[in-house]
Amino acid sequence: MILKVYTSLLLLFLVNSVWTRTVRQVYDDLDPDHWSHYTSECPQECFCPPSFPNALYCDNKGLKEIPAIPARIWYLYLQNNLIETLSEKPFVNATHLRWINLNKNKITNSGIESGVLSKLKKLLYLFLEDNELEEVPAPLPVGLEQLRLARNKISKIPEGVFSNLENLTMLDLHQNSLLDSALQSDTFQGLNNLMQLNIAKNSLKKMPLSIPANTLQLFLDNNSIEVIPENYFSAIPKVTFLRLNYNKLSDDGIPPNGFNVSSILDLQLSHNQLTKIPLINAHLEHLHLDHNKIKSVNGTQICPVSIALEEDYGYYGNIPRLRYLRLDGNEIQPPIPLDIMICFRLLQAVVI
């Protein structure tokens, strides 16, 4: 036992030593004698931390323009300013930028110089939340992995704006002014590796067309969606997390097997107009149905497998995996029906 403890401590020491050397290697070229050089080329309005020479902090400075960005900078923080324009001049030497945070400024589409963003060839993360954009800016850097455009005034997505963004994994467009007409069948064409799409808090009445096939997380909360088309999720066979809270879904708007999808593990349908629990798949683990118009729950009807058949499979068989069920804010009176517990044996929490 003592030998095992000493062995574990030795391994922990070695791992920490290797990690320390690895981190220090990042700054091997940062000789203290060069700090004065880094300080001298740091924009007067900003902060250049000596311990993090690739970062430039210009946030919360009341800036109206972007200062000249030194060539060494990878991470640029410009949030919480009064910046209205993006021109090419400040970025002439900034050819290694990976990350730009421009949240909470006053940037408009007309204030973005043509081609300024696409020339940032190494940019991976672009944050433009809480600005005054009326459409998705274009063209964009082809290597982008995350694009955050929440809380703007976007009502238009230019044709082909995403067509070359094969590396994009996350697109956040929530709390804008998007109508159904803004989302055409080819709007998301080219986003072959997209995993998260957030279009919550817009003005959609229909499920968006042609969601990228690899999407894992689809957020559509706070719209006015009334209908789920037949076989809608067959086109996005990997969708795992689906949020449709605060919409106008009724029983008639959901096909019989609309949510009977094996890939979906977390389904959120809170604050809709449902009077009964829709048919779910045995793989579902979390189900949110609070604040609907459901009056009663029949475990035999909603159970994704026959209860008798479930008993034949035994505990380790193909039993439903539901672990969390939320039903509060409906018209259901406790106690929880026994057949619910018989069907969903893995339930850990029921809110009623």
Side-chain angles (χ1 to χ4, degrees):
M1 181 66 180
I2 295 175
L3 179 59
K4 288 183 179 180
V5 172
Y6 282 132
T7 303
S8 299
L9 290 173
L10 178 61
L11 286 173
L12 182 60
F13 172 77
L14 291 173
V15 169
N16 285 336
S17 299
V18 171
W19 180 84
T20 302
R21 287 198 299 271
T22 303
V23 171
R24 285 177 178 171
Q25 286 170 2
V26 176
Y27 305 111
D28 277 348
D29 296 330
L30 185 59
D31 192 299
D33 294 336
H34 295 162
W35 287 2
S36 59
H37 166 68
Y38 289 122
T39 303
S40 65
E41 68 171 5
C42 182
Q44 186 175 10
E45 311 93 328
C46 307
F47 172 60
C48 299
S51 60
F52 195 9
N54 297 120
L56 180 60
Y57 292 87
C58 307
D59 51 309
N60 297 286
K61 302 295 184 181
L63 299 179
K64 293 184 178 180
E65 296 181 351
I66 299 175
I69 309 303
R72 72 176 190 276
I73 299 303
W74 287 21
Y75 307 99
L76 178 58
Y77 298 88
L78 289 160
Q79 67 270 27
N80 293 302
N81 281 295
L82 303 171
I83 297 169
E84 297 181 359
T85 60
L86 295 181
S87 61
E88 184 177 344
K89 185 178 179 181
F91 299 104
V92 169
N93 296 319
T95 56
H96 297 288
L97 278 174
R98 265 71 165 175
W99 172 301
I100 299 179
N101 189 334
L102 278 158
N103 292 345
K104 295 187 178 179
N105 278 282
K106 297 181 180 298
I107 298 168
T108 61
N109 289 94
S110 61
I112 301 177
E113 186 176 326
S114 178
V116 62
L117 293 173
S118 62
K119 291 178 182 177
L120 302 173
K121 303 294 185 182
K122 295 186 178 181
L123 195 66
L124 302 178
Y125 301 88
L126 177 58
F127 300 169
L128 280 165
E129 299 179 343
D130 295 285
N131 277 277
E132 298 180 13
L133 299 173
E134 295 183 351
E135 61 182 69
V136 175
L140 292 162
V142 296
L144 270 187
E145 294 182 4
Q146 288 193 16
L147 177 59
R148 299 175 183 251
L149 298 169
R151 295 178 297 277
N152 277 274
K153 303 174 183 178
I154 296 173
S155 61
K156 181 181 178 182
I157 301 178
E159 184 177 355
V161 67
F162 302 127
S163 59
N164 294 320
L165 303 186
E166 293 188 359
N167 295 325
L168 199 72
T169 59
M170 197 272 272
L171 175 59
D172 191 346
L173 288 162
H174 88 268
Q175 201 166 333
N176 277 284
S177 303
L178 292 171
L179 300 171
D180 296 319
S181 57
L183 305 180
Q184 301 298 315
S185 59
D186 60 350
T187 295
F188 301 112
Q189 186 175 348
L191 299 179
N192 299 326
N193 290 297
L194 194 72
M195 292 190 289
Q196 184 187 109
L197 178 60
N198 191 341
I199 327 179
K201 294 189 178 181
N202 277 279
S203 300
L204 304 181
K205 294 183 179 180
K206 300 178 181 179
M207 295 292 285
L209 301 171
S210 301
I211 300 297
N214 285 318
T215 302
L216 298 175
Q217 300 178 340
L218 179 58
F219 304 148
L220 292 163
D221 315 76
N222 293 90
N223 280 285
S224 299
I225 297 171
E226 299 179 354
V227 176
I228 307 293
E230 190 83 34
N231 299 319
Y232 180 84
F233 298 105
S234 62
I236 42 176
K238 298 181 181 180
V239 64
T240 305
F241 300 92
L242 178 62
R243 293 199 329 220
L244 280 159
N245 303 319
Y246 292 94
N247 276 281
K248 296 182 179 180
L249 289 171
S250 64
D251 302 328
D252 294 336
I254 301 176
N257 284 292
F259 295 120
N260 186 7
V261 180
S262 61
S263 65
I264 299 178
L265 302 182
D266 190 302
L267 176 60
Q268 299 190 20
L269 297 168
S270 304
H271 294 272
N272 277 278
Q273 300 172 11
L274 303 175
T275 64
K276 60 183 180 181
I277 298 178
L279 183 63
I280 60 174
N281 193 272
H283 290 88
L284 188 69
E285 296 183 2
H286 295 84
L287 178 59
H288 298 246
L289 285 165
D290 56 286
H291 298 91
N292 277 273
K293 299 179 179 180
I294 302 170
K295 295 183 178 181
S296 63
V297 181
N298 187 317
T300 303
Q301 291 179 355
I302 68 171
C303 192
V305 300
S306 167
I307 292 179
L309 186 61
E310 183 181 340
E311 291 175 353
D312 291 339
Y313 279 124
Y315 187 80
Y316 295 103
N318 189 30
I319 64 174
R321 300 178 186 176
L322 194 68
R323 288 171 167 78
Y324 180 88
L325 176 61
R326 184 171 177 183
L327 292 166
D328 56 303
N330 285 282
E331 301 176 29
I332 303 169
Q333 298 297 321
I336 300 168
L338 180 60
D339 51 4
I340 290 286
M341 308 309 296
I342 293 174
C343 173
F344 301 106
R345 301 183 190 180
L346 301 181
L347 265 177
Q348 296 174 356
V350 180
V351 184
I352 193 169

